[in-house]
Amino acid sequence: SLLFCTEHPFGHLIDTLRSEQYEERRYFNPQKLSDVRYENLPFCMRVLLESAIRKCDGFYIKTDDVSSILDWQMQQNQAEVAFSPARVLLQDFTGIPAMVDLAAMRDALAKQGVDPNLVNPRCHTDLIVDHSLQIDYSKCAIQSPPTPTDESHGAAVRSPAGRPSPRGSSSGGHCAGQRPGHRGGSVQIENTPLLCPFHLQPVSEPETMIRNQEMELIRNKERLQFFKWCSKAFKNINVVPPDINTVHQVNLEYLCQVVQEGEGFIYPDSVVGTDSHTTMINGLGILGWGVGGIESEAVMLGQPVSLTLPQVIGCKLVGTINPLATSIDIVLGITKHLRQAGIGGKFVEFFGPGVQQLSAPDRTTIANMCPEYNATVSFFPVDDITLQHFKHTSTDHPKLVVLEDYLKAIKLFKSYGDQSEDPQYSEVIEMNLSSIVPHVSGPKRPQDRVAVTCMKEDFINCLNEKVGFKGFHVSKEKQATQVPFLHEGAEYNLAHGSVVIAAVISCTNNCNPSVMLAAGLLAKKAVEAGLTVKPYIRTSLVPGSGTVTHYLNTTGVLPYLRKLGFEVVGYGCATCVGNTAPLPESVVDAIKQGDLVACGVLSGNRHLEGRLCDCVRANYLASPPLVVAYAIAGTVSINLETEPLGVNSEGKDVYLRDIWPSKEEVNHTEENIVIASMFKELRSRMEKGSTFWNRIESAESALFPWDPKSTYIRCPAFFSKLSKEVCAPQSIEGAYPLLFLGDKVTTDHISPAGSIARVSAAARYLQSKRLTPREFNSYGARRGNDAVMTRGTFASIKLQNRLIGKTGPKTLHIPSGQTLDVFEAAERYQRDGVPLIILAGKEYGSGSSRDWAAKGPYLMGVRAVIAESFEKIHRNHLVGMGIAPLQFLPGQNADSLELCGKERFTINIPQELTPRQQLTVQTSTGKSFSVTALFENDMDVAFFRHGGILKYVARSLLL
C-alpha cells in the first residue's frame, strides 16, 4: 500500500493539498523534482510521469522509467517504459474471457487450499454489458422473431404468454401503421412518452423495449448470469448491466473522473479499454487508448502496459472559426488535416488559442477520430471549458474545486491562450481554423464537395457542363427559364436551382446535438425576423430518435421549426432512401414544363440523382442549419454571404449572417440544457438499476458453478498443472512445427473471428453438443468457451501453410503424413506428448490485437514461435501466455537456413535465462542455428518462467 511510503523511492515528492473547502488530500508532486524538463514535457507525458513516480516498485516500474520519461526529448522512440493506468474499461465481448480466466484462477487456488476470495482485479475495472442487444422487435409492428433455444433445457423458449400484441388498434394504445420490414424505434428519456414513429401517437407501454429485453435475456442467459455472478463475487470491479448505455457513452458520462482517489492519494485519471471508442476520453483531459484482451487482462492483474515513449505531435490551433462552420465541419476539417500530416502511431496533443473555441463534445469527437488519422491518442489538456462541462454534468462543487486545485498544483491545467504554458513537442503542426469552410455535397454524388461560398458559381457550372457526374448540359438561353404556377391559390415561380425538397435528418454524420440545435436556433431567429418557407417546398424533420425530439423540445426550438414547415414526420430512414411524399402536382408540372433542374437539400447521407424524386435532378447534402437556410432562400443558386435569404414583413433584406446562431450560443445551449439533461438521465438510470438485470438469478458463491452442459461459459485449462513451485526454464526437445508460415501472418489468420463455418472443428464440437448450425452463433459470442475458441484457432480459410502448399485451415501431421484440421493435428501431438513450435516470416501477429491469438496456440501446445520479426503487441501477448517469441538472427530465415518444416527442433533454454539472450536451436537433420529470445526485460523472463502472467499471479497468491 502507498499509505506507508517511508521506503517508496519517491516518497520525498509527497505533498498535501489544503483548502477550507475540502479535506486534505495527499499526492505525488512531480514539481518537487525541481527539474526544468518537467514543464517542457507535453501534458500527456506528464500524466505518464506522475503514474511512473507513484507506482514505482522496482519491479514492474523502475526508477529508470521515471528518468526516461523525464528525459522524453532524448528518449522518444527509443526508451521502453511501463505505464499503470488508473482503470480498465471492458465491453462484454472482450470482458467475458478475462472474467472467465479470473473465475478459473479462483478454482485453481481453492484446489491448493487457498481462499479463492483473494483473486480479484488489482486495477479497478468497469465492465459494460452493451454488446448483447439485437433488434427482434420494432415499434408499431412486430417482426417474426427467431425462436432461441435455451440450451440448458433443449427446448424452444418463447416470450411469456398473455403479453398483449403490439399489433392492436390505436384505441388499445398501439399503432398498426408501420411499413412492413421497417426497423424503427425511439428512446424514452425523463417523462417524454414513447411515440409511434409514423403516427406520433403515444404508446401505452414500452412494448418493443420489453420484448427485445426478453429476447436478450433468453439468448444471452448464460453470459448474463455469469456477469451477474462476477458483479457480486469480485471486488474492484463494476459491472454496468444491459439497458443502460453504450460503453463509450457510459465512460464519458459516468465513469470518467479526471482526478481519481485511492490508497490515500489523489492522481490523474487514465484508462485502457478494449473498445475502439476509448480514445474519446482524451477530449476531457483523461489519457486513454485501446488495447487488446490480454493487455487489458494483464493490467487488471496488476501488470503495467509496456510502451515505447512515443513522439508527441503538437497540433496548434489558431485563427477564428468561420461563423457558418458547424461542429461537423470543424471535426472533419481537423481530421483531414491530421490524416494528411502522416502521424501514424504517434500521440497528438492540442494547444494554441484556437482550442478555446472547441466545446467539450467537439474535443471528444475529434479524439474519437484517432483511427481515422492513425494516432494513438489525441489529448486535450483540462481547461476552464472542461471544468464547465463537468459542472453541467452534475459533478459536485467540492470535487470540482479539488480537481482544479490539484491539476494546477502539478501543472496539468492548461490556459490555451497563455503561450508561456506551451510545452515542447516532437513536431508542431499548425492549423488555421478560419480555413475550415462549410461545404455541401452534390449535386449527384456525396464525394463532390462544394464550398458554400462557391455554391451559386458551382451550380451554374453544373448547368453548363455536359451530362455526367456533375453536369446537366442546359443551354445558355434556357438557363434563365422561369415557370409560373399556382399553389393553394397563390402564384409562384420555379427556376433552375429552385428548392422543392428540404429534409432535416438527424442521421449518421449529423447526429451531433450541436448541428440539430443550430438548425433549431436558426429557425427561431428566422421566424422572429419574419422569414418564411414557401409552402410548396416539401419540408420534413426526421430525428434519429426520440432523444433528438426531446432536446429540440426542451430547448424551445421545435415550434419554430414547425412554423417553417419542418414537422416531425417520424423516426426512421425516409428522404434518404426516396421515401418522400409526392410533390404537389402543380410543382411537378412546372418542373416538366420548363425542363428545370429542381433541387432537394437534405442532411442525410445519400442523395443520388433522382433518388429523392424522379423529377428532382440536383440533390445536395448539407448540415441541418444549411438545409433550413436553403429552404428559406428557396434556391441553391444563391451566394449566402452577399445575397439576402429573403425579405421580412417590413420589406427589409435579411441575410444569413443576421440569423445564423453563433457557436457560443449553440455551445451554451448544448452544455446547459442538452448535455445536462442527458447526464441527469444516465445517472438516474445507473442509480435506479435495471429491473431486467435485477431479475437475473446467479449464485452467491465465491466459486462459479460451472455448467458442464454450457457451450458459452467453460472453465479454461490455463491452470491445469499449477504448482506452488516455479520450475527452472525447460528446454524444448524434439518439437514438431505445427505450421510453417510466411510473412505478414495477421491475428485474423490466427484468432477466431466472425461466424463459425459448418465444416470446422468448432462446428463439429457444437454439433456434438446437439446444436444446429443456426444455433452456432459467432466466435465472438462464445469467447468464454475455450473449447470453441481453441478449435477455431488457425481456422482461417486464408491461412497459407507451407506444410501443405495450399490455402486453408489445414496442416500436416508430420509423423503420420496425414492432412488434418490444425486443431486435430495439435490434439494428436498433445496426446503423444510432443511439443510444438511455429515457423514464420516477417511481421508475425500484425493486425488488430486479439487475446485468443496467443491463448489459442498456448492451449494447442505451442511452446515457441520462431519468426523473422513480430508485431510488438502480439509479442507481448505470447510472453503473457508463456510462449517464447524467438527471432531469427539478422539476415537469416527459414529459407536461408534451408529448413523444410518437417524437422524436429530442440531449443536449448538455460536455467538462468536473461532478456534478449541468444539461444541455440538444433534440428533432427543436424543443422544448428541461433535465435534471439525476445524477452525485453526481467518481467518478461519472470512471466515465461511461470508459464504466463495468469500462473504468475496465481502463484503470488499461493505463497
Side-chain angles (χ1 to χ4, degrees):
S1 173
L2 294 177
L3 292 173
F4 303 97
C5 295
T6 54
E7 298 181 3
H8 195 289
F10 294 99
H12 60 287
L13 301 184
I14 295 174
D15 212 339
T16 303
L17 204 62
R18 293 184 175 91
S19 173
E20 295 179 356
Q21 300 186 58
Y22 51 79
E23 295 181 1
E24 290 185 354
R25 301 308 208 276
R26 294 202 301 165
Y27 64 100
F28 283 84
N29 190 352
Q31 289 210 92
K32 293 181 74 173
L33 290 168
S34 299
D35 194 314
V36 294
R37 292 176 296 177
Y38 178 69
E39 293 191 18
N40 290 329
L41 286 177
F43 282 67
C44 54
M45 291 298 104
R46 298 180 198 183
V47 177
L48 291 183
L49 180 65
E50 188 283 336
S51 176
I53 289 172
R54 176 169 41 84
K55 302 293 285 187
C56 185
D57 60 1
F59 179 65
Y60 285 125
I61 299 178
K62 301 179 179 180
T63 56
D64 286 347
D65 292 319
V66 174
S67 299
S68 294
I69 299 172
L70 197 57
D71 194 30
W72 167 80
Q73 283 287 354
M74 302 301 297
Q75 298 294 329
Q76 54 185 298
N77 272 353
Q78 296 182 34
E80 192 90 5
V81 298
F83 170 55
S84 288
R87 54 192 176 92
V88 177
L89 183 69
L90 305 173
Q91 41 92 336
D92 50 330
F93 268 16
T94 51
I96 198 163
M99 299 314 300
V100 165
D101 290 347
L102 291 187
M105 189 183 295
R106 283 195 165 192
D107 279 12
L109 262 65
K111 291 176 182 177
Q112 298 280 353
V114 176
D115 182 5
N117 289 302
L118 294 174
V119 177
N120 293 289
R122 296 182 179 182
C123 178
H124 178 79
T125 301
D126 294 293
L127 194 160
I128 290 83
V129 185
D130 72 330
H131 281 47
S132 300
L133 182 65
Q134 294 182 29
I135 301 174
D136 298 299
Y137 301 94
S138 59
K139 186 64 61 186
C140 297
I142 296 252
Q143 302 174 35
S144 298
T147 303
T149 297
D150 183 340
E151 295 173 9
S152 59
H153 296 89
V157 179
R158 299 185 182 276
S159 300
R163 183 170 295 283
S165 168
R167 286 197 172 98
S169 65
S170 59
S171 60
H174 297 287
C175 169
Q178 184 181 1
R179 293 189 303 276
H182 177 83
R183 289 175 178 247
S186 62
V187 178
Q188 182 182 18
I189 61 177
E190 295 190 354
N191 296 316
T192 304
L194 279 166
L195 303 176
C196 162
F198 289 87
H199 298 88
L200 299 181
Q201 300 168 351
V203 179
S204 61
E205 64 170 311
E207 184 74 18
T208 298
M209 182 172 67
I210 291 174
R211 291 205 170 195
N212 278 321
Q213 287 176 347
E214 288 171 351
M215 293 299 295
E216 182 177 9
L217 177 61
I218 294 167
R219 181 182 288 114
N220 296 284
K221 178 182 176 182
E222 296 177 32
R223 297 171 67 242
L224 296 177
Q225 284 179 328
F226 176 72
F227 285 137
K228 187 67 173 288
W229 173 81
C230 290
S231 69
K232 296 187 291 186
F234 289 105
K235 297 178 182 178
N236 214 22
I237 186 165
N238 170 44
V239 178
V240 178
D243 191 37
I244 297 296
N245 215 323
T246 56
V247 58
H248 55 285
Q249 288 301 117
V250 172
N251 190 27
L252 278 174
E253 298 173 13
Y254 189 80
L255 301 176
C256 67
Q257 300 292 322
V258 181
V259 174
Q260 294 278 3
E261 190 163 359
E263 297 184 307
F265 289 84
I266 57 174
Y267 49 91
D269 191 9
S270 56
V271 61
V272 292
T274 57
D275 185 82
S276 59
H277 296 279
T278 304
T279 54
M280 290 181 79
I281 208 68
N282 292 278
L284 298 179
I286 298 169
L287 187 63
W289 62 86
V291 296
I294 287 183
E295 291 161 292
S296 62
E297 198 167 336
V299 176
M300 289 170 63
L301 295 172
Q303 182 192 357
V305 175
S306 178
L307 74 156
T308 302
L309 277 177
Q311 287 185 290
V312 181
I313 306 300
C315 185
K316 185 175 184 179
L317 301 183
V318 298
T320 303
I321 295 173
N322 186 309
L324 299 185
T326 66
S327 292
I328 300 301
D329 294 319
I330 296 164
V331 169
L332 295 181
I334 292 175
T335 298
K336 179 181 179 181
H337 192 77
L338 291 174
R339 187 190 297 124
Q340 293 172 342
I343 54 175
K346 300 173 184 177
F347 281 24
V348 174
E349 184 169 292
F350 288 85
F351 73 110
V355 180
Q356 297 172 100
Q357 300 174 63
L358 302 180
S359 67
D362 290 342
R363 298 176 189 188
T364 56
T365 307
I366 292 167
N368 184 49
M369 298 292 280
C370 276
E372 294 296 322
Y373 44 85
N374 294 321
T376 302
V377 301
S378 283
F379 191 75
F380 288 84
V382 174
D383 69 340
D384 288 324
I385 291 176
T386 318
L387 291 182
Q388 284 297 314
H389 172 79
F390 280 102
K391 180 181 179 181
H392 296 146
T393 58
S394 303
T395 303
D396 295 338
H397 176 71
K399 192 176 291 186
L400 283 175
V401 176
V402 171
L403 187 156
E404 183 175 1
D405 288 353
Y406 170 63
L407 294 181
K408 287 181 176 178
I410 63 170
K411 296 282 187 180
L412 277 178
F413 191 89
K414 176 73 172 166
S415 297
Y416 286 100
D418 187 351
Q419 293 187 10
S420 67
E421 293 185 8
D422 294 347
Q424 295 180 3
Y425 294 105
S426 308
E427 177 186 348
V428 172
I429 299 172
E430 184 170 301
M431 182 173 185
N432 193 324
L433 293 175
S434 61
S435 66
I436 299 174
V437 296
H439 285 77
V440 297
S441 295
K444 299 182 181 183
R445 302 186 306 172
Q447 62 265 45
D448 296 326
R449 302 183 74 210
V450 183
V452 171
T453 52
C454 302
M455 183 66 163
K456 183 175 184 177
E457 178 185 352
D458 187 80
F459 181 74
I460 294 173
N461 289 337
C462 290
L463 296 180
N464 291 325
E465 288 183 19
K466 293 181 179 179
V467 175
F469 290 134
K470 292 197 69 171
F472 297 102
H473 202 215
V474 177
S475 61
K476 292 278 187 181
E477 60 271 16
K478 291 185 177 182
Q479 289 182 15
T481 300
Q482 291 200 9
V483 180
F485 70 99
L486 290 175
H487 177 76
E488 296 179 351
E491 184 174 313
Y492 300 93
N493 288 308
L494 283 185
H496 292 292
S498 291
V499 174
V500 294
I501 296 174
V504 173
I505 304 167
S506 172
C507 154
T508 56
N509 55 322
N510 286 303
C511 61
N512 188 314
S514 66
V515 291
M516 293 297 287
L517 283 175
L521 291 170
L522 184 141
K524 180 177 184 290
K525 292 187 174 188
V527 170
E528 291 172 345
L531 297 179
T532 60
V533 172
K534 294 179 178 64
Y536 61 81
I537 298 176
R538 184 67 70 192
T539 51
S540 60
L541 172 60
V542 184
S545 71
T547 304
V548 180
T549 304
H550 171 79
Y551 67 66
L552 291 177
N553 205 18
T554 303
T555 53
V557 299
L558 196 56
Y560 296 97
L561 285 163
R562 189 179 299 122
K563 186 81 172 175
L564 294 179
F566 291 95
E567 293 268 3
V568 176
V569 299
Y571 301 83
C573 293
T575 308
C576 288
V577 295
N579 293 336
T580 304
L583 294 176
E585 190 172 335
S586 57
V587 172
V588 175
D589 289 344
I591 293 172
K592 291 181 177 179
Q593 179 184 336
D595 193 21
L596 300 176
V597 179
C599 299
V601 186
L602 68 155
S603 62
N605 62 1
R606 290 290 184 274
H607 68 330
L608 302 179
E609 183 177 11
R611 184 167 186 162
L612 306 191
C613 180
D614 57 6
C615 63
V616 180
R617 286 189 277 168
N619 299 296
Y620 289 90
L621 298 182
S623 66
L626 283 176
V627 172
V628 177
Y630 280 114
I632 294 170
T635 180
V636 299
S637 186
I638 180 175
N639 186 323
L640 292 177
E641 282 191 334
T642 60
E643 298 179 59
L645 281 178
V647 179
N648 64 16
S649 57
E650 299 174 356
K652 181 181 178 182
D653 288 342
V654 180
Y655 292 83
L656 181 61
R657 60 178 174 269
D658 299 328
I659 63 171
W660 189 270
S662 68
K663 194 165 195 315
E664 291 74 22
E665 185 179 359
V666 174
N667 289 348
H668 177 79
T669 305
E670 182 181 21
E671 284 282 357
N672 285 273
I673 300 177
V674 179
I675 290 179
S677 175
M678 292 168 63
F679 276 64
K680 180 181 177 182
E681 166 65 15
L682 177 61
R683 289 179 184 276
S684 175
R685 295 176 70 183
M686 292 286 286
E687 291 166 4
K688 292 178 182 177
S690 163
T691 304
F692 167 56
W693 173 257
N694 293 338
R695 75 186 189 196
I696 296 174
E697 298 180 356
S698 65
E700 300 286 343
S701 57
L703 299 178
F704 182 70
W706 307 98
D707 181 357
K709 296 180 181 178
S710 173
T711 58
Y712 280 97
I713 308 292
R714 201 178 101 120
C715 186
F718 298 131
F719 305 97
S720 58
K721 297 180 181 179
L722 181 67
S723 60
K724 289 185 178 181
E725 298 77 23
V726 184
C727 299
Q730 300 292 312
S731 294
I732 302 171
E733 298 184 358
Y736 274 118
L738 176 63
L739 296 161
F740 188 9
L741 306 171
D743 296 339
K744 296 185 178 179
V745 173
T746 70
T747 51
D748 285 337
H749 296 114
I750 307 169
S751 177
S755 59
I756 299 172
R758 296 188 178 194
V759 294
S760 64
R764 287 191 289 275
Y765 166 80
L766 293 173
Q767 287 169 336
S768 73
K769 300 294 182 180
R770 311 182 93 176
L771 297 185
T772 65
R774 181 173 293 182
E775 298 166 313
F776 285 173
N777 214 322
S778 65
Y779 283 113
R782 297 189 182 273
R783 292 178 74 165
N785 186 327
D786 65 303
V788 172
M789 301 303 286
T790 307
R791 284 168 171 80
T793 303
F794 293 113
S796 170
I797 60 173
K798 297 180 181 179
L799 186 71
Q800 293 184 330
N801 180 12
R802 294 172 64 178
L803 289 178
I804 60 172
K806 60 181 180 180
T807 301
K810 302 285 185 179
T811 194
L812 180 69
H813 180 254
I814 297 170
S816 67
Q818 291 181 284
T819 298
L820 305 171
D821 283 338
V822 177
F823 172 80
E824 292 173 347
E827 190 177 41
R828 189 177 295 187
Y829 281 124
Q830 284 188 297
R831 191 166 57 241
D832 296 337
V834 178
L836 296 171
I837 64 168
I838 291 172
L839 296 175
K842 300 173 183 175
E843 300 179 41
Y844 179 79
S846 57
S848 59
S849 174
R850 290 189 184 154
D851 53 347
W852 277 101
K855 287 181 175 178
Y858 171 83
L859 291 177
M860 282 180 160
V862 174
R863 297 279 307 280
V865 178
I866 305 177
E868 287 185 69
S869 64
F870 292 83
E871 198 278 332
K872 177 185 172 183
I873 293 177
H874 186 62
R875 182 211 69 86
N876 293 341
H877 287 182
L878 293 175
V879 173
M881 290 310 303
I883 297 175
L886 307 178
Q887 186 173 35
F888 289 110
L889 296 184
Q892 293 185 351
N893 56 35
D895 291 333
S896 68
L897 294 170
E898 298 181 345
L899 303 177
C900 69
K902 298 180 181 179
E903 305 92 338
R904 300 193 74 165
F905 292 76
T906 295
I907 303 169
N908 298 307
I909 301 177
Q911 293 190 5
E912 299 300 325
L913 185 63
T914 58
R916 298 196 67 86
Q917 186 172 353
Q918 285 196 6
L919 308 179
T920 300
V921 181
Q922 296 172 312
T923 71
S924 55
T925 59
K927 289 189 176 68
S928 178
F929 59 94
S930 295
V931 293
T932 301
L934 296 184
F935 303 117
E936 300 297 339
N937 47 48
D938 293 337
M939 187 168 61
D940 283 357
V941 173
F943 291 155
F944 179 72
R945 285 170 57 87
H946 281 265
I949 186 174
L950 294 175
K951 290 184 177 178
Y952 173 84
V953 173
R955 285 197 180 95
S956 70
L957 296 173
L958 289 175
L959 301 177

